[in-house]
Amino acid sequence: MSTPTITVIGSLNTDLITRTNRFPNPGETLTANSFSTGSGGKGANQAVACARLSRSTPSSLNATRSQSTSTGPSLLPIGLSASSHTPNAEPSVHVRMVGAVGDDEFGTRLKDGLESNGIHTGDVRVIEGETTGTAVVIVEEATGENRILITPGANAHVVPSTLPDSLFTPPLPSLLILQLEIPILTVIHIITTARQKGIPVLLNPAPAVELPKEVYAGLEHLVLNQTEAQTLAAGIEISSTRDNDDGRLHDICTHFHRLGVQNVILTLGGEGVYWRSSTASEGTQRRVPAERVEKVVDTTAAGDTFVGAYAVGVATGQGVGRAVLWANKAAARTVEEEGAQHAIPWRDDVSLPKWWQMRMSG
């Protein structure tokens, strides 16, 4: 059996991160605790998550970790740059990134960082005269919560006419992953073409905007948080008479099933995950409690890590339920570290059930 390929089409950003004790009020100026830059963009983050969670930690990182006396989770050490290691383990999936960066230093760093994680970047275009996308991130240290402002830059140039011809020609990818940080018309075009070609699609509708109903028809996987669900499912009637919270989540999933989505996964932050499948092979729903976390440091990349881990799970045949369980574990490890891509764990950083280990090694 050939190794599955996951193609991620989306944004690449440089994160400008400020850490503060609390968020400022309107009109208020605060003195922050620290400032740093990092690699990000939901597309790039999800590609890195797919790559890392499909292979074991590189030996160069293991050597660094063996010198550490930390008793916390074994994650990428703070201060270790992405370019200082190269994955050396056989992955369970191949990962391809499609997107655009500017002709500046940020763009070069982003591409180098993806390649150091084993991601194919031949379809990441460099746009002359344009800046790389940026994200201004404010992290409240007391809670680990964040607020983010995005400037698209080169991401706005990911339009249908610039997509690589090879995207929809054999060999086709096992799964396409999309977000909404590139032009919406591009997202709609890709989903429509993928449906015609029989390529499964995972849509993570962030940042959330209202989408035409045809986007959902036949969509295999919809992964979204509560805020995004409120935007996309605004105005639906909550008719369930069961437990109020689970009843509301059930009705949200039913709304998207009626539009044609097969698997709906609602991430609930500290409350875990609620998922529901309309397919006969899954035919169930479940609330998965949040994983235990020692300390929430930064939630920036939690959602993207969840998407990447879930994608690896379904692409390798784990099934939706098992993929959700493992993605929940992976996201919990991410929030215990600072940063976006920097905080994403490798496969052996996340405890794997025996059934998962057997499937991954088989």
Side-chain angles (χ1 to χ4, degrees), residues 169-194:
T169 57
L172 298 175
S174 309
L175 181 68
L176 287 178
I177 300 179
L178 290 161
Q179 323 78 31
L180 302 184
E181 287 185 345
I182 58 175
I184 297 299
L185 289 179
T186 304
V187 174
I188 296 172
H189 168 79
I190 293 170
I191 290 176
T192 301
T193 308

Side-chain angles (χ1 to χ4, degrees), residues 18 100 104 137 147 285 312 318 350:
T18 300
D104 51 22
V137 183
R147 295 180 181 178
Q285 62 193 34
V312 171
Q318 297 294 338
V350 184

Side-chain angles (χ1 to χ4, degrees), residues 132-184:
T132 297
T134 56
V136 177
V137 183
I138 302 176
V139 179
E140 185 178 63
E141 291 191 323
T143 62
E145 294 296 330
N146 63 75
R147 295 180 181 178
I148 303 174
L149 289 172
I150 296 171
T151 303
N155 295 309
H157 293 264
V158 183
V159 295
S161 61
T162 66
L163 295 173
D165 294 336
S166 59
L167 186 60
F168 297 113
T169 57
L172 298 175
S174 309
L175 181 68
L176 287 178
I177 300 179
L178 290 161
Q179 323 78 31
L180 302 184
E181 287 185 345
I182 58 175
I184 297 299

Side-chain angles (χ1 to χ4, degrees), residues 3 11 34 68 222 224 229 272 279 291:
T3 303
S11 58
S34 65
S68 173
L222 181 66
L224 66 171
T279 63
E291 288 287 312

Side-chain angles (χ1 to χ4, degrees), residues 30 44 62 99 105 182 186 195 228 278 281 346 351:
L30 295 177
N62 276 326
E105 183 179 356
I182 58 175
T186 304
R195 183 185 305 132
E228 293 148 6
S278 66
S281 59
W346 298 83
S351 58

